[in-house]
Amino acid sequence: MATILAIETSCDETSVAIVKNRQVLSNIVRSQVKIHSFYGGVVPEVASRQHLEIINQAIAQAFIEANLDWNQIDGVASTCAPGLVGALLVGITAAKTLAIINNKPFIGVHHLEGHIYASYLTTPELEPPFLCLLVSGGHTSLIYVKDCGKYKTLGKTRDDAAGEAFDKVARMLKLGYPGGPIIDKLATKGDKSAFSLPEGKVSLPEGGYHPYDSSFSGLKTAVLRLVQKLETEGKNLVVENIAASFQETVAKSLTKRAIACALDNGLNTITVGGGVAANSGLRQHLSQAAATHNLRVLFPPLKFCTDNAAMIGCAAADHLNQGHISALDLGASSRMAIKDVMQLYGC
Ligand code: KG4
Ligand code: ZN
């Protein structure tokens, strides 16, 4: 049993949690979304400064809510990659400093492995192998989860991430940032069959299409053309209908790929992680399709889908239990493939 103090500062959420294996004792999340929405997206330098301003307060709060002290902590973790380097460095530096002062091991965590571990927080009995559909602002991947630290990416986006597509379409429709939750809400009031939009397919050199890879840039351009056409024709822009049609296309595309990938690889459980896991269209399509094919699908609650330190702590606890610890000179990386996660532990 490992009790971990975990820090997540890879993007625009400052989060600190205390986790005992798969049990969350506290999970403080301070979102910077209001500040960044002013600029229409995350400004890296602003994110770093905000992390710096609130990190100490969030650490103190995590201890208060968990009602623990340093004697009960076995290790200190922080997200090391991928993410905004300046933002990551705030969390890493805080975690390493606390590890040194309190004589605890330091565990660097891959952000995507954290998103995978979010499913264990609410389904502690879950065991690999399973398929994780990871859909966030920066990633869209289908990951074969073999074991702690052992992952294979079977499908990915060739251009925009799903969340990025939601954000860009929302910007086109002048709806605000982040776009995902706004489009999701509008879509409930719209007609999803109002417009027929193209599902992005990835061609294979030998002919046909990649069964698990996706592409959202064509869909995004199709929405832009549609908006321009409606404006030129002087027609009223019914944003609810555009939002519903766009969301339906994304949800169907992700569902088709996730189901095919699980079936082809003999996996009977699909977990979903990342901010787009909150999307009601995706939840509905994937749950229905999974039931049809006798597959289990797990959607963590929203607070564990979006960036949070509890998922980072959960991954770190598993690594620490297996003796995986990181060197104190481990730095931040803006990019790192999930297959390379064991590099964080010198393996
Ligand atoms: O996982 P996350 O919090 O941060 C990253 O690691 O990227 O995901 C944020 C993304 C944003 O692009 C946001 O628009 C999207 O998740 N998102 C949604 C919904 N809620 C958040 N997308 C679609 N529907 C939602 N309900
Ligand atoms: Zn994330």
Side-chain angles (χ1 to χ4, degrees), residues 33-47:
V33 75
K34 269 198 191 135
I35 300 161
H36 296 291
S37 62
F38 178 75
Y39 303 100
V42 178
V43 182
E45 181 58 27
V46 174

Side-chain angles (χ1 to χ4, degrees), residues 28 47 57 70 80 83-84 86 101 113 121 124 159 163 171 173 181 187 195 220 222 270 286 298 328 344 346-347:
I28 312 300
Q57 190 199 339
W70 274 103
C80 287
L84 303 171
I101 294 171
E113 190 175 35
L121 297 172
D159 37 61
R171 195 180 304 165
L173 298 172
F195 304 105
K220 188 187 64 190
I270 302 173
L286 190 54
L298 298 174
L328 283 170
L344 297 174
C347 303

Side-chain angles (χ1 to χ4, degrees), residues 175-242:
L175 298 174
Y177 173 86
I182 306 171
I183 290 193
D184 198 353
K185 207 168 161 199
L186 283 172
T188 58
K189 295 180 228 147
D191 174 7
K192 58 189 178 195
S193 56
F195 304 105
S196 165
L197 295 166
E199 169 205 323
K201 290 183 184 168
V202 176
S203 304
L204 290 169
E206 62 271 28
Y209 299 102
H210 194 294
Y212 318 135
D213 279 0
S214 43
S215 161
F216 295 109
S217 70
L219 170 60
K220 188 187 64 190
T221 311
V223 175
L224 179 65
R225 297 258 154 78
L226 173 67
V227 171
Q228 286 168 341
K229 184 171 167 278
L230 293 172
E231 280 175 349
T232 315
E233 290 169 359
K235 289 196 179 134
N236 200 10
L237 266 193
V238 185
V239 283
E240 288 84 355
N241 287 349
I242 301 176

Side-chain angles (χ1 to χ4, degrees), residues 8 10-11 111-112 115 134 136-139 274-275 305-308 311:
E8 155 63 43
S10 67
C11 192
H111 184 73
L112 300 194
H115 276 301
L134 214 158
S136 68
H139 301 273
C305 287
T306 50
D307 289 350
N308 67 89
M311 66 185 193

Side-chain angles (χ1 to χ4, degrees), residues 6-20:
I7 301 177
E8 155 63 43
T9 60
S10 67
C11 192
D12 60 347
E13 250 93 33
T14 314
S15 182
V16 182
I18 298 182
V19 173
K20 190 174 188 174

